[in-house]
Amino acid sequence: MLKGVTSSALYDLGTSLPAAAYGSIPAPRTATVDFSAVQDAKGSSKSFPKHETRHLSEHKNIARCARFSPDGRFVATGSADTSIKLFEVAKIKQMMLPDARDGPVRPVIRTFYDHIQPINDLDFHPQNTVLISGAKDHTIKFFDFSKMTAKRAFRVIQDTHNVRSVSFHPSGDFLLAGTDHQIPHLYDVNTFQCFLSSNVPEIGVNGSINQVRYSSTGGMYVTASKDGAVRLWDGVTANCVRSIVGAHGAAEVTGANFTKDQRFVLSCGKDSTVKLWEVGTGRLVKQYLGATHLQLRCQAVFNDTEEFVLSIDEPSNEIVIWDALTAEKVARWPSNHIGAPRWLEHSPIEAAFVSCGTDRSIRFWKEVL
């Protein structure tokens, strides 16, 4: 049913990017936030720092997704034009300086063309200079971005379905694909074997997976499905350990991801709500309300310190920010895109995020220091 095609040794690292330097993840800036603590009084919301934004680049069609590398040094974007752009964050910051004396800085360091259908999702290998993409052409492709000239994938996994979401296990030895199939596909990166859970709850025909994400240790993974459920899976046995059915009413769940301590999951749905769930009990802990998202497959994300939650208000074309602990709205910013952005992705290490537009453009946002 599933076959892998390899065209070169995996992770044959070139000399342009030393492997040791890549993937060394800096210590987090703050301790994790305890969301199960007693609800804070409303007046105690933090204010979200002012950011500056810059148009980075333009795809030839809708910019559909983005992902930062675990060390925050790179960010990749995928588009309906079937291309992937890789940016170096240090070059983006250099480009944003007011006095760029040496002429224009080009933050795009690689462009990959190897898909024949729109890109749905991206992820970085946790240790190596490898980027993976999942696309509507039913494939997952592996790109080695240490090679200056490589435009094509060095490895391809052929799936049976539209690959809507991809997530690397923290070891880098496995990856998950969320597809139009209702069960996540677990791949061994080295053998291409595909494992399917043998213990699956009854999932209806509308169970396509919009997003799949591993927890920080790989002990669990979470899926966000079109049928409105958030499902938690055991990272070792691949069994579904909890189904939060109707997490967003009858509306589809467009995104779900874990907090850094793996105790909570933040989900986003087409019912215009963002919700925080306790993993151990399946209990709804917080709701972040006041941003309308009914059309696009948007996701809600934490900032790097998990003190704030960011999402998109489609009608006003704004980025909405809540205090994560009080669930109070603390900012609404014009997105500067023409039409609502489709995707927000926050840096794991600093106060910076990217927005991807229906207008084909990529914008970078960073705190004004």
Side-chain angles (χ1 to χ4, degrees):
M1 166 175 147
L2 296 149
K3 63 183 191 293
V5 186
T6 179
S7 55
S8 82
L10 189 55
Y11 318 135
D12 167 25
L13 294 171
T15 50
S16 57
L17 274 170
Y22 173 73
S24 48
I25 298 164
R29 297 201 302 177
T30 57
T32 53
V33 179
D34 183 12
F35 294 103
S36 57
V38 180
Q39 180 74 42
D40 282 72
K42 270 285 184 264
S44 60
S45 295
K46 299 184 170 96
S47 60
F48 193 65
K50 193 166 178 280
H51 282 51
E52 55 186 317
T53 181
R54 177 74 185 260
H55 171 276
L56 279 193
S57 187
E58 197 96 356
H59 278 281
K60 293 184 180 67
N61 203 327
I62 293 166
R64 290 172 59 85
C65 54
R67 206 71 179 267
F68 278 86
S69 61
D71 61 3
R73 282 174 55 197
F74 302 97
V75 63
T77 60
S79 168
D81 69 9
T82 75
S83 76
I84 298 162
K85 293 185 185 228
L86 180 72
F87 301 84
E88 194 171 341
V89 173
K91 287 190 171 165
I92 296 172
K93 291 178 180 168
Q94 195 182 339
M95 172 182 162
M96 289 174 82
L97 290 172
D99 50 348
R101 290 189 201 86
D102 310 327
V105 178
R106 289 197 166 75
V108 179
I109 58 165
R110 307 276 186 277
T111 307
F112 299 113
Y113 308 92
D114 208 12
H115 283 284
I116 52 173
Q117 294 265 322
I119 315 285
N120 290 320
D121 199 14
L122 300 158
D123 199 11
F124 283 85
H125 189 282
Q127 291 90 26
N128 295 319
T129 52
V130 169
L131 175 68
I132 57 168
S133 52
K136 281 190 175 175
D137 58 18
H138 297 196
T139 64
I140 300 161
K141 303 215 168 183
F142 291 65
F143 300 91
D144 180 353
F145 60 89
S146 68
K147 294 188 163 53
M148 300 286 288
T149 53
K151 291 269 187 280
R152 302 209 168 273
F154 68 89
R155 216 170 218 217
V156 181
I157 291 177
Q158 181 69 53
D159 200 275
T160 47
H161 293 71
N162 171 13
V163 183
R164 305 171 70 87
S165 185
V166 286
S167 181
F168 260 121
H169 185 274
S171 68
D173 291 331
F174 299 94
L175 71 86
L176 282 166
T179 71
D180 282 347
H181 190 200
Q182 61 266 47
I183 307 168
H185 296 176
L186 174 64
Y187 286 97
D188 182 316
V189 167
N190 302 303
T191 66
F192 292 125
Q193 266 186 298
C194 179
F195 304 93
L196 297 178
S197 172
S198 55
N199 169 21
V200 179
E202 277 301 310
I203 303 174
V205 286
N206 195 22
S208 295
I209 294 168
N210 278 322
Q211 194 164 54
V212 61
R213 291 291 182 259
Y214 266 113
S215 66
S216 55
T217 62
M220 298 190 85
Y221 49 98
V222 62
T223 54
S225 294
K226 281 198 167 186
D227 63 7
V230 170
R231 293 186 177 89
L232 295 157
W233 307 74
D234 185 296
V236 179
T237 64
N239 289 337
C240 181
V241 291
R242 185 177 302 285
S243 294
I244 304 171
V245 178
H248 288 269
E252 61 180 275
V253 192
T254 51
N257 48 61
F258 285 92
T259 52
K260 289 175 186 172
D261 64 5
Q262 313 177 72
R263 290 175 54 196
F264 302 93
V265 160
L266 185 71
S267 71
C268 182
K270 286 191 179 176
D271 60 346
S272 298
T273 66
V274 175
K275 297 183 177 184
L276 190 72
W277 307 90
E278 190 171 51
V279 168
T281 61
R283 183 172 66 94
L284 177 63
V285 184
K286 299 202 185 294
Q287 290 198 72
Y288 305 94
L289 305 174
T292 304
H293 30 89
L294 302 165
Q295 305 295 321
L296 302 173
R297 186 185 66 139
C298 89
Q299 61 172 2
V301 293
F302 280 107
N303 75 323
D304 57 310
T305 61
E306 298 186 336
E307 294 171 291
F308 298 98
V309 170
L310 293 76
S311 194
I312 293 160
D313 184 74
E314 291 170 356
S316 69
N317 188 7
E318 289 178 320
I319 294 168
V320 181
I321 297 126
W322 296 265
D323 179 295
L325 216 48
T326 65
E328 192 175 1
K329 215 170 357 171
V330 292
R332 290 183 79 108
W333 292 343
S335 78
N336 289 295
H337 287 276
I338 301 160
R342 288 188 72 91
W343 194 281
L344 295 178
E345 193 73 36
H346 203 287
S347 166
I349 63 146
E350 61 183 338
F353 63 93
V354 291
S355 54
C356 297
T358 315
D359 62 1
R360 309 174 177 189
S361 69
I362 311 294
R363 297 195 73 90
F364 190 84
W365 303 71
K366 74 178 185 66
E367 185 178 337
V368 179
L369 298 170

